[in-house]
């Protein structure tokens, strides 16, 4: 019965929130692990004491605070669903305290490092032209890697200088294209994409060597390779360019609301992270260069 309720909840959550497959998979896994821990106890008999025991058990297995927070959010949503469908009458997670999360600033690239990364691909090669276009677009628009690799050909309008992006929860946003990225995208469309397509059919904008859609894992390794080639001594990923995009906008004076819209953040508190990065950068510069720093 527990497994059936989990499947029904995941379907409901997807239909009502439009959550990504990654989120749905994580929630399904969280609930399966919780159900297995309960053994023969049905969800209808779960109380606050049991939930607290479960989190004590997970803490002992060195579960991070962020993972604990996600699990609590998942359980709360699940028990609210059970209340709405009259399976239970009380939510055992109601008013439970979330674990305190460490505020770690993300690793981001400065402008010089972005330039080094941009110049790493060999633009005299087919693959190098594709990779340069992808990196330019990622930094130009601050895309999530999933948004980049899921772009369809009809999402990009070089003539009117914008792209249409479907972000988290399938929320659509329109983003302006910079002139440099337009040049590289135009060259990719004309010289590279037809060769990668190999007379096949694929609506994905960026293609792999096999003529199919570029995968998240493949592009992750591409970025890591170019970072090493450029001599960038930081642990970076495609998401580092999204952080760089937002940080550099804030450093140049862009208002937070505009940055929020471009990033597709539903809550401006997520965007405020980049003011913390800016403040940390200024503090470092003061300590480094001021005679009394």
């Amino acid at each position: 019965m527990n497994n059936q309720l989990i499947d029904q909840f995941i379907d409901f959550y997807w239909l009502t929130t439009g959550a990504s497959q990654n989120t749905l998979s994580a929630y399904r896994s969280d609930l399966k692990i919780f159900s297995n821990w309960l053994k023969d106890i049905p969800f209808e008999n779960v109380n606050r004491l049991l939930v607290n025991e479960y989190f004590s058990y997970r803490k002992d297995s060195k579960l991070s605070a962020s993972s604990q927070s996600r699990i609590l959010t998942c359980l709360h949503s699940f028990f609210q669903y059970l209340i709405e469908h009259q399976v239970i009458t009380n939510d055992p997670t109601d008013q439970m305290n979330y674990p305190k999360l460490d505020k770690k600033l993300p690793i981001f690239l400065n402008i010089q490092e972005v330039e080094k990364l941009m110049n790493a691909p060999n633009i005299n090669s087919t693959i190098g032209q594709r990779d340069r276009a992808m990196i330019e677009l990622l930094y130009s628009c601050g895309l999530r890697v999933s948004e980049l690799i899921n772009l369809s050909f009809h999402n990009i309008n070089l003539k009117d200088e914008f792209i249409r992006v479907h972000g988290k929860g399938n929320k659509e946003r329109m983003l302006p294209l910079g002139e440099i990225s337009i040049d590289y995208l135009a060259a990719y469309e004309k010289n590279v994409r037809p060769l990668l397509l190999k007379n096949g059919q694929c609506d994905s904008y960026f293609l792999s060597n096999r003529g199919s859609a570029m995968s998240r894992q493949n592009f992750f390794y591409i970025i890591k390779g170019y970072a090493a080639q450029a001599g960038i001594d930081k642990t970076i990923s495609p998401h580092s360019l999204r952080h760089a995009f937002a940080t550099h906008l804030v450093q140049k004076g862009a208002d937070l609301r505009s940055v929020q819209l471009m990033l597709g953040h539903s809550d401006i508190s997520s965007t405020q992270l980049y003011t913390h990065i800016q403040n940390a950068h200024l503090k470092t510069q003061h300590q480094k260069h001021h005679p009394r720093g």
Side-chain angles (χ1 to χ4, degrees):
M1 183 62 180
N2 279 3
N3 286 339
Q4 184 180 352
L5 287 173
I6 291 172
D7 292 339
Q8 290 170 352
F9 165 72
I10 294 298
D11 289 343
F12 170 83
Y13 194 78
W14 173 67
L15 288 170
T16 55
T17 68
S20 69
Q21 286 302 314
N22 288 340
T23 298
L24 296 174
S25 295
Y27 276 21
R28 186 186 296 277
S29 175
D30 290 338
L31 291 170
K32 293 276 189 182
I33 293 170
F34 181 53
S35 179
N36 290 337
W37 179 83
L38 290 172
K39 295 183 179 177
D40 296 328
I41 301 173
F43 288 131
E44 297 95 307
N45 293 345
V46 174
N47 55 29
R48 176 69 65 88
L49 180 62
L50 266 175
V51 174
N52 283 330
E53 286 180 9
Y54 177 67
F55 276 100
S56 295
Y57 158 75
R58 295 305 301 269
K59 285 177 187 176
D60 291 340
S61 61
K62 309 297 184 184
L63 193 69
S64 68
S66 60
S67 294
Q68 292 176 46
S69 183
R70 186 200 67 234
I71 292 170
L72 181 53
T73 299
C74 170
L75 290 178
H76 179 65
S77 298
F78 177 62
F79 285 121
Q80 287 295 314
Y81 165 82
L82 295 184
I83 288 174
E84 289 176 20
H85 289 77
Q86 300 179 341
V87 177
I88 61 175
T89 55
N90 295 301
D91 177 1
T93 67
D94 193 34
Q95 297 183 349
M96 282 186 67
N97 294 323
Y98 281 78
K100 188 174 182 180
L101 301 178
D102 295 330
K103 290 186 177 179
K104 292 183 180 179
L105 296 180
I107 295 172
F108 75 100
L109 303 173
N110 60 40
I111 294 173
Q112 292 75 25
E113 289 168 331
V114 170
E115 290 292 338
K116 285 182 180 179
L117 189 63
M118 296 289 189
N119 292 326
N122 176 13
I123 57 174
N124 293 319
S125 70
T126 299
I127 297 305
Q129 285 188 63
R130 178 203 64 191
D131 295 346
R132 179 65 184 262
M134 293 186 77
I135 295 170
E136 287 282 356
L137 183 57
L138 196 65
Y139 177 65
S140 176
C141 296
L143 302 180
R144 300 178 178 95
V145 64
S146 57
E147 295 169 346
L148 179 77
I149 62 174
N150 288 330
L151 280 172
S152 298
F153 198 83
H154 64 270
N155 291 143
I156 298 184
N157 189 324
L158 297 184
K159 181 180 178 182
D160 292 331
E161 303 181 356
F162 74 86
I163 64 170
R164 179 181 291 106
V165 176
H166 293 91
K168 288 186 176 180
N170 206 31
K171 293 179 181 176
E172 183 179 284
R173 65 188 193 278
M174 308 283 282
L175 296 172
L177 288 169
E179 290 183 8
I180 297 176
S181 63
I182 288 173
D183 290 341
Y184 281 101
L185 291 172
Y188 167 74
E189 284 188 13
K190 180 181 178 182
N191 304 322
V192 177
R193 193 174 184 277
L195 294 177
L196 293 175
L197 202 54
K198 301 173 183 176
N199 297 320
Q201 294 293 325
C202 184
D203 191 44
S204 295
Y205 189 74
F206 290 112
L207 304 176
S208 70
N209 302 3
R210 298 188 299 272
S212 56
M214 173 71 69
S215 71
R216 175 195 292 264
Q217 293 83 357
N218 193 11
F219 188 59
F220 176 84
Y221 289 121
I222 287 171
I223 289 289
K224 296 281 283 187
Y226 285 130
Q229 184 180 322
I232 298 172
D233 189 22
K234 292 178 178 177
T235 304
I236 71 165
S237 70
H239 211 70
S240 302
L241 282 164
R242 177 171 163 88
H243 291 316
F245 162 84
T247 304
H248 298 163
L249 279 175
V250 172
Q251 286 177 348
K252 295 295 184 180
D255 66 273
L256 276 185
R257 175 59 178 161
S258 297
V259 177
Q260 177 193 0
L261 291 173
M262 285 186 276
L263 290 173
H265 285 159
S266 57
D267 191 330
I268 200 166
S269 63
S270 300
T271 318
Q272 287 170 338
L273 163 72
Y274 298 102
T275 62
H276 298 317
I277 294 176
Q278 166 72 343
N279 292 339
H281 173 73
L282 292 176
K283 183 177 180 180
T284 301
Q285 290 300 301
H286 180 273
Q287 291 173 338
K288 184 177 180 180
H289 299 293
H290 194 279
R292 295 185 181 275

